[in-house]
Amino acid sequence: QFDGSNDTIGTAGFALTSLDLTVFAVIRATDYANFNGIISKTDASGNPKGMDFYLITSTGIPRFLRRSGFGANYNVDGTSAPGTSTTRVVEVVQASTTISHYRDGAANGSGSGGTITIDDDATKGLIVGNRTDGFTKFKGYIAEVLLYSAAVSSGDRLSIRQYLGTKYGVTVV
């Protein structure tokens, strides 16, 4: 349970060495009054040092943010919010420059961005429920976050999603 104020879970140094990655998160946000950080690896200013996955303030639309090869950030947003009244499995998959969002297994938007810089700074850790600058404090429930350093195949994503759905009582497709 995250209070939207000062709760986070962090890891020790961790290097994201793959362009491709997949994130699964089982969440239920309380509201969208502020940004709700799901998982990130950012510098002290909140710029991605790997990635930043959060829900946008007011709308709750999921956003996945990466850093381009030119030092600029790019993001791909989902199309609809996970909602605040029920627990959801949200996924984001990056395969090369294509980013796809899913909610309970249903497609929830996709797009592409520029060439990203692969982060090999093993001194920066992952943060669940916020990011380094403290700007995206999650308010609500994050039951589980899974991060894979590959674009997980659709068949394997289905198996993982079904496992998470059964474990947390979420209906998934």
Side-chain angles (χ1 to χ4, degrees):
Q1 188 72 29
F2 292 81
D3 64 9
S5 176
N6 60 0
D7 295 339
T8 63
I9 299 171
T11 69
F14 178 86
L16 287 174
T17 57
S18 173
L19 168 68
D20 296 347
L21 54 86
T22 303
V23 177
F24 291 86
V26 180
I27 65 169
R28 183 178 59 236
T30 301
D31 59 46
Y32 304 133
N34 297 299
F35 290 97
N36 281 290
I38 297 170
I39 186 170
S40 70
K41 183 174 181 183
T42 61
D43 65 19
S45 299
N47 294 309
K49 288 297 293 172
M51 53 92 183
D52 193 4
F53 185 34
Y54 58 91
L55 306 178
I56 300 171
T57 191
S58 301
T59 65
I61 299 290
R63 173 171 285 164
F64 190 67
L65 190 67
R66 298 293 300 257
R67 166 117 30 223
S68 78
F70 300 104
N73 297 331
Y74 74 85
N75 60 275
V76 173
D77 294 346
T79 54
S80 61
T84 57
S85 61
T86 188
T87 302
R88 299 284 188 187
V89 176
V90 293
E91 302 167 50
V92 65
V93 179
Q94 178 158 6
S96 186
T97 59
T98 300
I99 296 172
S100 302
H101 288 272
Y102 300 89
R103 184 182 69 197
D104 298 336
N108 191 30
S110 65
S112 62
T115 303
I116 71 157
T117 302
I118 295 176
D119 177 52
D120 61 357
D121 182 356
T123 66
K124 303 286 184 211
L126 293 167
I127 297 176
V128 173
N130 206 336
R131 66 180 188 209
T132 308
D133 65 355
F135 190 70
T136 62
K137 300 173 181 102
F138 195 88
K139 185 176 181 184
Y141 173 76
I142 300 177
E144 192 159 342
V145 178
L146 304 172
L147 171 67
Y148 295 87
S149 61
V152 175
S153 72
S154 59
D156 287 344
R157 283 195 341 269
L158 175 61
S159 295
I160 294 164
R161 186 181 320 116
Q162 287 173 334
Y163 165 76
L164 292 171
T166 300
K167 184 174 180 180
Y168 295 104
V170 177
T171 302
V172 297
V173 293

